[in-house]
Amino acid sequence: MRREDLAALYHLPITDLVQRAQTVHRQHHTPDAVQLCTLLSIKTGACPEDCAYCPQSSQHATDVEAERLLDVEAVLAQAQRAKAGGATRFCMGAAWRTPARGPAFQRVLAMIRGVRALDLEACVTLGMLNDQEVEELKAAGLSAYNHNLDTSENFYNEIITTRTYRDRLETLRRVGASGISVCSGGIVGMGESDDDRIDLIFTLATLDPQPESVPINALVAVEGTPLANQPPVDPLVLVRMCALARLALPKARVRLSAGREVLSREAQVLCFMAGANSLFFGDQLLTTPNPDRNKDLALLRDAGMRALDSDGHAQALPPLAKERALPLWQQGPA
Ligand code: SAM
Ligand code: DTB
Ligand code: SF4
């Protein structure tokens, strides 16, 4: 698809855009099913990069407390919980520019092997990688590597100065060439223009191989970061981005990622109609909150959705946790 075709799609009346995206969605995916992924921060804060959106950068004064790399046992206990709760992918994030060397990297490899042994998909995001790291991650059985382009090449310099777009593309190339699935997406609500948003999806679509998953994040504006005072993005922008990602990357899982805490149920359902079919599921993202599990399960149930298993088949939703009964209006039909 050409850049100008994508731009024309982005600016369609939203009814037309969603209808087109939904048509493509149905050709490649089960329309009523979403993938449930759980996130864990395995190494928090004190990151040397200066990403303007990120509460974990050591260059911003935020409330995030730095923590050393977690133990393998602690991570696997969380993975087990995620699996028992119905997640099929376990995503581990580290606030690194590049992965630590030596025993710390070996520990991450052990985490990946442990998560795979639980029959969960394993995804990590560790910053920029060299060829050897990619090879070792692949040998440990890593299912996917997350490395977001975040925005357009033009706008990138206003958000990050400690690395380049080219650096980012280089890691994505290495990961893609290794056969590990690529997970790459971006953030809206950082002050970017519509053209920046279209450029981001265009660049993601030109990656070869195309990403297997595309996270669409809405900025979580965190106190102490340079973007703390950004106004919340219009939820319809998220709908347009999900639709554009679906049209430009028909086979990818489009993940409605950070920022759902402030999205209405209706806006999230519109994103599903536009082609989003994956969520972060669990009370916490990396350092900021995510909707609680029961709230998400009630939303999915009320919308009549099912959960994708690791083979991509739709299954009944996991049960709601009983100890936190929801108010009646959130419980849906009996
Ligand atoms: N340090 C690694 C890196 O940057 O690739 C991995 C961790 S980093 C926290 C992973 C992704 O989280 C970023 O690329 C960005 O897209 C997303 N992210 C971080 N802070 C965010 C925020 N405040 N709002 C939305 N997304 C955010
Ligand atoms: C992605 O695109 N979003 C996730 C995951 N990949 C690693 C991270 C969102 C982080 C939101 C801010 C925080 O919780 O620190
Ligand atoms: Fe570091 Fe990643 Fe946050 Fe940038 S987004 S400051 S690289 S943890």
Side-chain angles (χ1 to χ4, degrees):
M1 207 178 283
R2 293 172 310 168
R3 162 84 176 58
E4 66 234 59
D5 299 329
L6 274 187
L9 287 166
Y10 182 90
H11 292 291
L12 279 176
I14 208 154
T15 44
D16 291 342
L17 174 59
V18 169
Q19 199 269 338
R20 284 187 189 223
Q22 177 65 205
T23 303
V24 169
H25 189 59
R26 281 167 187 263
Q27 290 163 4
H28 299 279
H29 303 273
T30 311
D32 64 345
V34 293
Q35 176 194 40
L36 303 176
C37 311
T38 294
L39 252 183
L40 177 68
S41 181
I42 57 169
K43 187 270 168 190
T44 306
C47 181
E49 305 261 33
D50 70 351
C51 312
Y53 50 77
C54 188
Q56 302 197 65
S57 164
S58 60
Q59 310 200 27
H60 315 320
T62 65
D63 283 345
V64 169
E65 282 185 30
E67 277 174 36
R68 303 166 81 84
L69 182 65
L70 297 181
D71 289 335
V72 178
E73 295 70 38
V75 171
L76 295 185
Q78 293 291 334
Q80 210 138 21
R81 268 192 64 195
K83 180 177 166 127
T88 56
R89 176 177 284 203
F90 193 65
C91 310
M92 296 167 273
W96 279 327
R97 172 177 165 77
T98 55
R101 300 269 156 98
F105 191 65
Q106 295 307 314
R107 204 191 290 179
V108 174
L109 297 177
M111 292 172 190
I112 294 167
R113 287 192 292 266
V115 169
R116 297 294 292 132
L118 291 169
D119 216 13
L120 285 164
E121 290 174 31
C123 180
V124 292
T125 179
L126 314 171
M128 293 182 273
L129 300 179
N130 61 30
D131 284 329
Q132 199 196 327
E133 288 157 343
V134 169
E135 215 169 281
E136 291 185 46
L137 290 169
K138 166 103 180 152
L142 185 67
S143 317
Y145 192 76
N146 168 253
H147 200 63
N148 290 338
L149 283 177
D150 281 331
T151 187
S152 70
E153 183 165 15
N154 269 341
F155 193 62
Y156 204 70
N157 298 338
E158 315 220 0
I159 298 296
I160 297 150
T161 69
T162 49
R163 60 167 186 258
T164 66
Y165 214 65
R166 207 167 271 232
D167 291 333
R168 222 57 189 162
L169 289 168
E170 185 53 26
T171 293
L172 287 172
R173 189 195 58 71
R174 289 200 168 103
V175 173
S178 76
I180 297 172
S181 291
V182 169
C183 170
S184 188
I187 309 180
V188 292
M190 300 191 293
E192 73 288 340
S193 65
D194 285 338
D195 276 334
D196 292 317
R197 295 168 186 153
I198 296 160
D199 283 342
L200 166 67
I201 302 291
F202 181 67
T203 308
L204 290 169
T206 56
L207 297 177
D208 184 17
Q210 282 197 340
E212 171 262 352
S213 48
V214 179
I216 304 290
N217 296 277
L219 176 73
V220 181
V222 178
E223 189 82 25
T225 63
L227 298 182
N229 297 321
Q230 275 293 318
V233 70
D234 178 353
L236 295 186
V237 167
L238 279 171
V239 177
R240 287 187 185 278
M241 288 298 275
C242 290
L244 210 62
R246 172 53 63 231
L247 288 164
L249 299 100
K251 295 194 176 145
R253 292 266 156 78
V254 175
R255 185 168 307 118
L256 186 56
S257 301
R260 289 196 302 114
E261 272 269 277
V262 295
L263 276 192
S264 70
R265 286 161 47 107
E266 294 81 353
Q268 295 182 64
V269 169
L270 257 178
C271 289
F272 299 148
M273 291 192 64
N277 60 350
S278 177
L279 290 178
F280 285 124
F281 180 60
D283 306 353
Q284 184 81 3
L285 292 167
L286 293 175
T287 66
T288 66
N290 196 42
D292 79 38
R293 202 184 114 81
N294 270 356
K295 196 173 169 188
D296 275 344
L297 287 174
L299 164 64
L300 294 173
R301 183 192 55 192
D302 295 350
M305 308 288 284
R306 295 180 291 166
L308 286 168
D309 66 19
S310 9
D311 300 321
H313 299 124
Q315 304 291 344
L317 290 174
L320 269 75
K322 294 209 177 59
E323 70 273 17
R324 289 147 100 189
L326 290 162
L328 265 183
W329 66 270
Q330 282 189 350
Q331 289 189 7

